[in-house]
Amino acid sequence: MHIGEKIREVMHQQRVSVITIAKEIECERTNVYNIFERESINTGLLLKFCHILGHDFFKDLSEETFGRTRH
């Protein structure tokens, strides 16, 4: 999974702007666009995106890596 593309996809689905994300993670808009290009990011930053967007990116990565778990 290309995590940057996944983050961009979720942001688009939720109609959250790059400006909003930049403010929340305290960085410039250009840094957010750079994140979209990354195939991987550190877990602390990914956790911030999880909280801001209310989306479990860790689960997405786990399911892609290990398959869907049965409940």
Side-chain angles (χ1 to χ4, degrees):
M1 169 181 298
H2 189 289
I3 194 63
E5 290 177 1
K6 181 66 176 180
I7 291 169
R8 179 178 19 212
E9 175 187 317
V10 171
M11 283 177 57
H12 180 72
Q13 289 171 350
Q14 295 186 12
R15 297 189 171 130
V16 176
S17 74
V18 171
I19 294 170
T20 299
I21 294 297
K23 286 179 183 175
E24 290 289 328
I25 64 173
E26 300 176 346
C27 73
E28 299 292 323
R29 288 182 307 144
T30 55
N31 291 343
V32 177
Y33 288 113
N34 289 337
I35 290 168
F36 296 157
E37 302 303 318
R38 297 182 192 174
E39 291 185 36
S40 64
I41 62 174
N42 72 55
T43 56
L45 183 55
L46 187 58
L47 186 59
K48 287 182 181 182
F49 278 100
C50 291
H51 287 269
I52 293 165
L53 297 171
H55 184 89
D56 189 348
F57 293 102
F58 291 100
K59 181 179 176 186
D60 295 340
L61 290 167
S62 179
E63 287 179 350
E64 181 172 291
T65 303
F66 303 109
R68 296 195 183 274
T69 57
R70 296 181 190 172
H71 291 103

